């Protein structure tokens, strides 16, 4: 499914016109101005899966954040924008083919926050067990009289404390832990929970915290979501497992002037190929 057909960034001439009209005072940078135009990136045409590939500083995350801001994608984590970000996005435009049910920006910060929230919840659940252990002793010794319906719940706990063992009492009233997972399992479950049918999703380096096996599994999930469940993805990544997704359109931002390439032509992927080719005998 294609919801977003095209996105246009201002060219260097328009950016220069803006800089001339703006009086520079205490600023020594106008980020994100001139980041993308220096690489000749003024337009992107999208497929159901489009990938912005490049190393650190290539501008792929900048482009993704600009697109997300302009199309109104929902964020979980806060984005630290510059003073010029809003002025820059006003110079951008896009062509939309259809309206998705939801538009979301999913960043690696969101995944880390998700994992930390699970840990915090489980720590609270463990603290709850300690409190229940103290309450069990207190309730068994409590001489309590029911005076109103509001007292009924406490009376039930007193009766349970007197008839149950401590372990059974705690088991009945404790807050259940969220099942413990590895970081990779938690990161993968974050994407499967957040990505629904009929949506436009912008993903910033989703491979973070994922093992090669999990990256392969995520790639399969994204391809199936685009093919069968009417999703569109715009992804910033340099993971070969995601770059190899069938049918993905890849923009190489490592080039002096941004170009469309096949995944096996990319510098990062060639480095992997050369490494394993060099050690080919070790696999035999």
């Amino acid at each position: 499914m294609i919801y977003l057909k095209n996105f246009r960034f201002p060219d260097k001439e328009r950016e220069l016109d803006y800089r001339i009209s703006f009086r520079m005072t205490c600023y020594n940078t106008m980020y994100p101005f001139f980041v993308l135009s220096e690489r000749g990136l003024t337009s992107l045409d999208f497929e159901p899966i489009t990938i912005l590939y490049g190393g650190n500083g290539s501008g792929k995350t900048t482009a993704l954040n600009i697109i997300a801001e302009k199309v109104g994608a929902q964020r979980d984590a806060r984005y630290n924008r510059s003073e010029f970000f809003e002025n820059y996005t006003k110079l951008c435009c896009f062509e939309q083919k259809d309206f998705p049910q939801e538009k979301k920006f999913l960043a690696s910060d969101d995944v880390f926050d998700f994992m930390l929230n699970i840990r915090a919840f489980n720590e609270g659940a463990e603290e709850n067990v300690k409190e229940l252990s103290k309450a069990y002793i207190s309730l068994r010794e409590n001489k309590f009289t029911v005076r109103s319906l509001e007292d009924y719940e406490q009376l039930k706990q007193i009766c349970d404390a007197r008839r149950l063992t401590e372990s059974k009492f705690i088991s009945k009233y404790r807050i259940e832990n969220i099942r413990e997972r590895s970081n990779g399992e938690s990161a993968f479950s974050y994407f499967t929970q957040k990505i629904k049918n009929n949506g436009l999703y912008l993903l910033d380096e989703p491979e973070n915290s994922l093992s090669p096996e999990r990256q392969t599994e995520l790639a399969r999930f994204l391809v199936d979501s685009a093919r069968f469940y009417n999703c569109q993805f715009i992804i910033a990544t340099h993971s070969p497992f995601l770059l190899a997704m069938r049918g993905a359109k890849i923009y190489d931002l490592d080039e002096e002037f941004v170009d469309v390439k096949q995944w096996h032509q990319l510098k990062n992927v060639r480095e992997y190929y050369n490494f394993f080719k060099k050690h080919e005998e070790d696999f035999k």
Side-chain angles (χ1 to χ4, degrees), residues 17-257:
D17 288 341
Y18 177 83
R19 185 167 69 177
I20 292 171
S21 67
F22 186 85
R23 291 185 177 181
M24 297 290 285
T25 54
C26 59
Y27 301 102
N28 55 17
T29 178
M30 295 181 66
Y31 179 85
F33 282 86
F34 305 107
V35 172
L36 303 178
S37 61
E38 288 291 341
R39 296 180 176 274
L41 180 57
T42 58
S43 179
L44 292 171
D45 295 312
F46 300 110
E47 297 295 333
I49 299 177
T50 304
I51 295 177
L52 308 181
Y53 158 86
N56 295 333
S58 63
K60 64 183 186 298
T61 297
T62 296
L64 201 68
N65 278 306
I66 290 167
I67 296 168
E69 182 74 13
K70 187 68 177 182
V71 303
Q74 177 187 346
R75 293 176 179 268
D76 288 336
R78 296 181 63 183
Y79 175 56
N80 188 22
R81 306 185 312 173
S82 74
E83 294 288 337
F84 298 96
F85 201 86
E86 185 175 350
N87 292 320
Y88 182 90
T89 55
K90 286 179 180 178
L91 300 178
C92 300
C93 61
F94 63 91
E95 183 180 355
Q96 189 166 285
K97 182 178 180 181
D98 207 344
F99 293 90
Q101 289 185 6
E102 63 179 12
K103 294 177 283 188
K104 285 186 178 180
F105 182 98
L106 306 179
S108 55
D109 285 349
D110 299 319
V111 180
F112 295 141
D113 288 345
F114 176 74
M115 291 188 289
L116 290 174
N117 286 340
I118 290 176
R119 291 179 189 174
F121 183 89
N122 285 342
E123 286 174 5
E126 291 304 315
E127 189 63 31
N128 171 249
V129 170
K130 296 177 183 177
E131 294 299 324
L132 285 173
S133 181
K134 294 177 183 178
Y136 175 79
I137 297 172
S138 175
L139 289 168
R140 284 179 64 87
E141 300 171 352
N142 194 309
K143 295 180 180 179
F144 186 75
T145 303
V146 177
R147 295 184 178 87
S148 67
L149 288 174
E150 285 75 16
D151 296 330
Y152 179 65
E153 286 301 319
Q154 188 173 355
L155 178 63
K156 284 203 306 182
Q157 288 191 357
I158 291 172
C159 292
D160 284 336
R162 289 173 178 171
R163 71 181 180 85
L164 298 174
T165 64
E166 182 177 353
S167 61
K168 288 183 178 180
F169 177 82
I170 291 173
S171 179
K172 180 173 181 177
Y173 287 100
R174 72 174 294 179
I175 299 172
E176 290 296 330
N177 283 42
I178 298 174
R179 185 175 72 85
E180 289 287 353
R181 299 182 173 97
S182 68
N183 285 349
E185 289 175 320
S186 295
F188 181 76
S189 69
Y190 173 82
F191 291 108
T192 57
Q193 288 179 35
K194 289 291 183 179
I195 295 172
K196 309 296 183 183
N197 299 355
N198 310 305
L200 170 64
Y201 298 96
L202 295 88
L203 279 55
D204 186 21
E205 298 190 357
E207 67 270 19
N208 289 343
S209 300
L210 295 178
S211 66
E213 182 181 4
R214 288 294 181 185
Q215 290 182 51
T216 301
E217 194 173 351
L218 177 62
R220 190 182 308 117
F221 172 75
L222 297 178
V223 169
D224 287 347
S225 296
R227 184 178 180 186
F228 301 113
Y229 301 106
N230 298 322
C231 291
Q232 183 182 13
F233 297 98
I234 305 170
I235 307 168
T237 185
H238 42 70
S239 163
F241 302 97
L242 298 180
L243 291 165
M245 285 188 291
R246 184 177 180 181
K249 184 175 187 177
I250 303 171
Y251 285 92
D252 184 2
L253 275 70
D254 274 346
E255 288 292 331
E256 184 177 355
F257 294 99

